[in-house]
Amino acid sequence: MLKEPESMDECSFFTRRILDDGTKLVAWVPKDTNIVNVKYTCGECGKSGEITQEFKKPITFVCQFCGHKIVVEPLNKRRGRRKKKA
Ligand SMILES: [Zn+2]
């Protein structure tokens, strides 16, 4: 079971996202490593899993239960294009 970082000081990258396909995830890169830890709930099958893999952007992985491909698009791609919900 992956343990989420307690503070940003422990990681060089951290994101918490809900993707357009309904997938919810938390991803982080522990400091001084080139791996990314991901905890996710698949938007396709609804199951929750964890993945650790080499850190490359965009973070891309496949749901280990249903094979659904999950891509964590960089946020800045959409900058200024979406209205913020209040
Ligand atoms: Zn799935």
mmCIF file of all heavy atoms in Angstrom, residues 23 40-48 62-70, ligand 1:
data_model
loop_
_atom_site.group_PDB
_atom_site.id
_atom_site.type_symbol
_atom_site.label_atom_id
_atom_site.label_comp_id
_atom_site.label_asym_id
_atom_site.label_seq_id
_atom_site.Cartn_x
_atom_site.Cartn_y
_atom_site.Cartn_z
ATOM 1 N N THR A 23 -11.712 9.305 -13.919
ATOM 2 C CA THR A 23 -10.636 8.714 -13.117
ATOM 3 C C THR A 23 -10.141 9.719 -12.082
ATOM 4 O O THR A 23 -9.872 10.871 -12.412
ATOM 5 C CB THR A 23 -9.466 8.284 -14.025
ATOM 6 O OG1 THR A 23 -9.939 7.311 -14.958
ATOM 7 C CG2 THR A 23 -8.321 7.699 -13.209
ATOM 8 N N TYR A 40 -5.001 5.432 -7.835
ATOM 9 C CA TYR A 40 -6.080 5.861 -8.710
ATOM 10 C C TYR A 40 -7.357 5.073 -8.462
ATOM 11 O O TYR A 40 -7.337 3.965 -7.925
ATOM 12 C CB TYR A 40 -5.664 5.704 -10.179
ATOM 13 C CG TYR A 40 -5.515 4.264 -10.619
ATOM 14 C CD1 TYR A 40 -6.578 3.591 -11.205
ATOM 15 C CD2 TYR A 40 -4.321 3.590 -10.421
ATOM 16 C CE1 TYR A 40 -6.457 2.267 -11.589
ATOM 17 C CE2 TYR A 40 -4.191 2.268 -10.790
ATOM 18 C CZ TYR A 40 -5.259 1.599 -11.377
ATOM 19 O OH TYR A 40 -5.150 0.289 -11.739
ATOM 20 N N THR A 41 -8.453 5.697 -8.878
ATOM 21 C CA THR A 41 -9.729 5.004 -8.971
ATOM 22 C C THR A 41 -10.157 5.127 -10.417
ATOM 23 O O THR A 41 -10.364 6.235 -10.925
ATOM 24 C CB THR A 41 -10.784 5.635 -8.036
ATOM 25 O OG1 THR A 41 -10.306 5.566 -6.694
ATOM 26 C CG2 THR A 41 -12.106 4.891 -8.130
ATOM 27 N N CYS A 42 -10.222 4.015 -11.099
ATOM 28 C CA CYS A 42 -10.461 3.996 -12.535
ATOM 29 C C CYS A 42 -11.854 4.523 -12.877
ATOM 30 O O CYS A 42 -12.856 4.112 -12.285
ATOM 31 C CB CYS A 42 -10.300 2.560 -13.035
ATOM 32 S SG CYS A 42 -10.630 2.371 -14.790
ATOM 33 N N GLY A 43 -11.903 5.434 -13.844
ATOM 34 C CA GLY A 43 -13.181 5.983 -14.275
ATOM 35 C C GLY A 43 -13.983 5.000 -15.117
ATOM 36 O O GLY A 43 -15.182 5.185 -15.328
ATOM 37 N N GLU A 44 -13.343 3.968 -15.573
ATOM 38 C CA GLU A 44 -14.000 2.985 -16.435
ATOM 39 C C GLU A 44 -14.638 1.857 -15.615
ATOM 40 O O GLU A 44 -15.804 1.552 -15.780
ATOM 41 C CB GLU A 44 -12.962 2.421 -17.415
ATOM 42 C CG GLU A 44 -13.528 1.558 -18.508
ATOM 43 C CD GLU A 44 -14.311 2.355 -19.539
ATOM 44 O OE1 GLU A 44 -14.099 3.576 -19.656
ATOM 45 O OE2 GLU A 44 -15.158 1.737 -20.207
ATOM 46 N N CYS A 45 -13.852 1.254 -14.738
ATOM 47 C CA CYS A 45 -14.354 0.095 -13.985
ATOM 48 C C CYS A 45 -14.612 0.403 -12.515
ATOM 49 O O CYS A 45 -15.210 -0.401 -11.809
ATOM 50 C CB CYS A 45 -13.395 -1.086 -14.118
ATOM 51 S SG CYS A 45 -11.815 -0.865 -13.262
ATOM 52 N N GLY A 46 -14.148 1.570 -12.059
ATOM 53 C CA GLY A 46 -14.445 1.977 -10.693
ATOM 54 C C GLY A 46 -13.560 1.358 -9.633
ATOM 55 O O GLY A 46 -13.739 1.612 -8.447
ATOM 56 N N LYS A 47 -12.609 0.518 -10.047
ATOM 57 C CA LYS A 47 -11.727 -0.111 -9.061
ATOM 58 C C LYS A 47 -10.556 0.804 -8.736
ATOM 59 O O LYS A 47 -10.172 1.648 -9.535
ATOM 60 C CB LYS A 47 -11.216 -1.445 -9.587
ATOM 61 C CG LYS A 47 -12.323 -2.479 -9.666
ATOM 62 C CD LYS A 47 -11.801 -3.816 -10.122
ATOM 63 C CE LYS A 47 -12.958 -4.798 -10.198
ATOM 64 N NZ LYS A 47 -12.566 -6.060 -10.828
ATOM 65 N N SER A 48 -9.978 0.570 -7.576
ATOM 66 C CA SER A 48 -8.848 1.383 -7.139
ATOM 67 C C SER A 48 -7.574 0.565 -7.180
ATOM 68 O O SER A 48 -7.568 -0.611 -6.814
ATOM 69 C CB SER A 48 -9.077 1.882 -5.712
ATOM 70 O OG SER A 48 -10.218 2.719 -5.696
ATOM 71 N N VAL A 62 -1.981 2.059 -17.549
ATOM 72 C CA VAL A 62 -3.139 1.262 -17.914
ATOM 73 C C VAL A 62 -3.742 0.683 -16.649
ATOM 74 O O VAL A 62 -3.026 0.135 -15.810
ATOM 75 C CB VAL A 62 -2.717 0.146 -18.896
ATOM 76 C CG1 VAL A 62 -3.859 -0.817 -19.148
ATOM 77 C CG2 VAL A 62 -2.245 0.759 -20.210
ATOM 78 N N CYS A 63 -5.051 0.814 -16.513
ATOM 79 C CA CYS A 63 -5.730 0.236 -15.351
ATOM 80 C C CYS A 63 -5.436 -1.253 -15.295
ATOM 81 O O CYS A 63 -5.611 -1.968 -16.276
ATOM 82 C CB CYS A 63 -7.236 0.480 -15.449
ATOM 83 S SG CYS A 63 -8.176 -0.389 -14.169
ATOM 84 N N GLN A 64 -4.969 -1.717 -14.128
ATOM 85 C CA GLN A 64 -4.582 -3.122 -14.019
ATOM 86 C C GLN A 64 -5.787 -4.053 -13.941
ATOM 87 O O GLN A 64 -5.634 -5.262 -13.999
ATOM 88 C CB GLN A 64 -3.654 -3.313 -12.812
ATOM 89 C CG GLN A 64 -4.264 -2.948 -11.481
ATOM 90 C CD GLN A 64 -3.242 -2.356 -10.511
ATOM 91 O OE1 GLN A 64 -2.999 -1.171 -10.466
ATOM 92 N NE2 GLN A 64 -2.645 -3.205 -9.706
ATOM 93 N N PHE A 65 -6.972 -3.489 -13.844
ATOM 94 C CA PHE A 65 -8.172 -4.319 -13.749
ATOM 95 C C PHE A 65 -8.888 -4.448 -15.086
ATOM 96 O O PHE A 65 -9.311 -5.524 -15.467
ATOM 97 C CB PHE A 65 -9.132 -3.726 -12.704
ATOM 98 C CG PHE A 65 -8.496 -3.568 -11.358
ATOM 99 C CD1 PHE A 65 -8.078 -2.318 -10.926
ATOM 100 C CD2 PHE A 65 -8.293 -4.665 -10.537
ATOM 101 C CE1 PHE A 65 -7.476 -2.163 -9.680
ATOM 102 C CE2 PHE A 65 -7.683 -4.520 -9.300
ATOM 103 C CZ PHE A 65 -7.279 -3.272 -8.868
ATOM 104 N N CYS A 66 -9.021 -3.341 -15.800
ATOM 105 C CA CYS A 66 -9.813 -3.391 -17.031
ATOM 106 C C CYS A 66 -9.027 -2.981 -18.269
ATOM 107 O O CYS A 66 -9.534 -3.054 -19.374
ATOM 108 C CB CYS A 66 -11.067 -2.508 -16.903
ATOM 109 S SG CYS A 66 -10.731 -0.731 -16.934
ATOM 110 N N GLY A 67 -7.786 -2.543 -18.101
ATOM 111 C CA GLY A 67 -6.980 -2.189 -19.265
ATOM 112 C C GLY A 67 -7.254 -0.801 -19.818
ATOM 113 O O GLY A 67 -6.722 -0.422 -20.857
ATOM 114 N N HIS A 68 -8.085 -0.031 -19.125
ATOM 115 C CA HIS A 68 -8.381 1.327 -19.546
ATOM 116 C C HIS A 68 -7.113 2.172 -19.505
ATOM 117 O O HIS A 68 -6.390 2.169 -18.512
ATOM 118 C CB HIS A 68 -9.441 1.911 -18.604
ATOM 119 C CG HIS A 68 -9.829 3.327 -18.896
ATOM 120 N ND1 HIS A 68 -10.294 3.729 -20.117
ATOM 121 C CD2 HIS A 68 -9.834 4.425 -18.093
ATOM 122 C CE1 HIS A 68 -10.560 5.044 -20.062
ATOM 123 N NE2 HIS A 68 -10.293 5.478 -18.853
ATOM 124 N N LYS A 69 -6.855 2.887 -20.591
ATOM 125 C CA LYS A 69 -5.657 3.712 -20.646
ATOM 126 C C LYS A 69 -5.928 5.068 -20.005
ATOM 127 O O LYS A 69 -6.910 5.742 -20.341
ATOM 128 C CB LYS A 69 -5.216 3.899 -22.101
ATOM 129 C CG LYS A 69 -3.845 4.522 -22.196
ATOM 130 C CD LYS A 69 -3.413 4.658 -23.646
ATOM 131 C CE LYS A 69 -2.067 5.342 -23.725
ATOM 132 N NZ LYS A 69 -1.775 5.827 -25.074
ATOM 133 N N ILE A 70 -5.059 5.438 -19.105
ATOM 134 C CA ILE A 70 -5.234 6.679 -18.349
ATOM 135 C C ILE A 70 -4.050 7.592 -18.651
ATOM 136 O O ILE A 70 -2.898 7.188 -18.513
ATOM 137 C CB ILE A 70 -5.334 6.361 -16.845
ATOM 138 C CG1 ILE A 70 -6.588 5.501 -16.580
ATOM 139 C CG2 ILE A 70 -5.372 7.652 -16.023
ATOM 140 C CD1 ILE A 70 -6.600 4.798 -15.249
HETATM 141 ZN ZN ZN B 1 -10.337 0.056 -14.787
#
